[in-house]
Amino acid sequence: MIVTFTANPSLDRTVALPGPLERGEVQRAVSVSQESGGKGVNVSRALVASGLESLAVLPGADSDPVLAGLRESAVPFTALPIHEPLRTNVALTEPGGVTTKINEPGPLLDENQQEALLKLLLESSRGASWVVLAGSLPPGFPADFYATAALRLRSSADGAAPRIAVDSSGQPLAAALTGGAAGMPDLLKPNAEELAELASAAGFAPATADQLEADPGAAADAAAAVVRSGVGAVLATLGSKGAVLVTADGAWLATHPPVAAVSTVGAGDSALAGYLLAHGQGAAPADCLRQAVAHGAAAASLPGSTVPAVHQTTPDAVTITALRKD
């Protein structure tokens, strides 16, 4: 089973526009859709859609629309009851897949609620193969919450501890690497911008997200710098340029033929789900990357924050190239 943890879940509303976004003007939407979201929730949705066992751990009142959406989608979850409503995020999509996101901060959880949520994660993760710590943190959470969670997951494990994947940004992502060897993630899933920040902190020559997307070799070198800091593997998504996977043993680039992008919301989360799906089937690292890119491309071709099932992906269309690490 794969457990996902989303401390700051959301109701994701996607508004599709008929043309480019025009600031200050009135525009009529072509369509509006909504899904229960947040990075970890999206990973669980994608895994369940492909027939895998997954459990989403999150806060939320029983009547909250986010939890109601998970019930309607038959996605298993366990939630810490809170009184505050969960946030609503809005994505504006233009023809061609250009997406503008407006994310609310989320409810404020006090220290007792934070500890209760962490204990719920620990209880729910017994026997799990992977635990995915994903997304932003709500107001009031310490930046190193994911590092603390990783340490607690490993110290409290009965028998083999689950592998830990982290997909976040900003301070929570950087602080996820501050827990020492015992707290290091087995897998990080940054995008190009997040990879540039992580690599710079690891001593890699400064680079922009655009530079890393344009040069997969540089992206692999940046990811290798992060791996040398103690992370097990880095799966870096590079938008339409594909993704690179770097481990201590190798580096690979995966590319997919261009797709007609409809919405990029959830594409990175779907890529992580594809990687975990293949890993659970015993696939080699390059083939885990192959399924990750196939999942990400399929998600970008779907409307709103819709996640693909494995039968909607085209891994055979993905090209894998071995790269040299610096």
Side-chain angles (χ1 to χ4, degrees):
M1 180 179 68
I2 297 173
V3 172
T4 66
F5 177 75
T6 309
N8 206 14
S10 59
L11 185 66
D12 287 349
R13 291 178 58 83
T14 303
V15 180
L17 300 176
L21 175 65
E22 299 177 13
R23 294 183 60 190
E25 300 296 329
V26 175
Q27 291 177 267
R28 298 187 183 279
V30 174
S31 64
V32 178
S33 61
Q34 66 181 34
E35 295 276 2
S36 299
K39 284 184 173 295
V41 167
N42 290 340
V43 171
S44 278
R45 288 171 52 223
L47 292 171
V48 170
S50 295
L52 270 72
E53 185 180 3
S54 182
L55 177 70
V57 179
L58 67 163
D62 187 64
S63 59
D64 196 279
V66 174
L67 271 58
L70 290 175
R71 292 190 194 95
E72 292 173 4
S73 302
V75 175
F77 70 89
T78 183
L80 174 73
I82 61 173
H83 298 296
E84 300 83 355
L86 297 173
R87 60 183 181 151
T88 297
N89 293 342
V90 178
L92 306 175
T93 62
E94 305 171 34
V98 175
T99 302
T100 302
K101 295 192 68 178
I102 303 171
N103 291 352
E104 296 181 3
L108 177 65
L109 302 185
D110 62 30
E111 292 184 3
N112 290 334
Q113 291 172 310
Q114 294 172 28
E115 177 62 22
L117 188 59
L118 181 52
K119 286 182 177 179
L120 180 61
L121 171 64
L122 300 178
E123 294 167 0
S124 303
S125 300
R126 294 193 179 99
S129 57
W130 281 90
V131 172
V132 178
L133 307 174
S136 63
L137 295 173
F141 272 61
D144 64 352
F145 187 85
Y146 288 147
T148 299
L151 288 168
R152 295 270 296 270
L153 280 163
R154 288 175 175 146
S155 65
S156 66
D158 297 327
R163 292 182 175 89
I164 296 172
V166 175
D167 182 5
S168 188
S169 60
Q171 289 187 337
L173 176 60
L177 308 187
T178 61
M184 279 292 183
D186 297 284
L187 176 68
L188 279 183
K189 208 296 296 168
N191 59 24
E193 181 177 355
E194 294 153 358
L195 176 60
E197 295 175 359
L198 288 170
S200 179
F204 183 75
T208 67
D210 289 343
Q211 289 171 330
L212 295 183
E213 288 187 357
D215 185 350
D221 290 342
V226 179
V227 169
R228 286 195 296 272
S229 72
V231 174
V234 174
L235 169 65
T237 51
L238 306 176
S240 62
K241 303 297 184 180
V244 296
L245 174 68
V246 177
T247 71
D249 299 319
W252 302 267
L253 166 69
T255 58
H256 191 285
V259 299
V262 177
S263 170
T264 59
V265 178
D269 307 329
S270 293
L272 178 53
Y275 179 98
L276 297 174
L277 185 156
H279 188 277
Q281 295 171 341
D287 288 321
C288 293
L289 175 63
R290 181 189 303 277
Q291 190 59 55
V293 169
H295 255 76
S301 70
L302 297 172
S305 55
T306 305
V307 295
V310 66
H311 68 82
Q312 295 173 290
T313 70
T314 52
D316 290 344
V318 176
T319 299
I320 300 291
T321 304
L323 300 174
R324 181 186 63 83
K325 299 184 295 180
D326 70 353

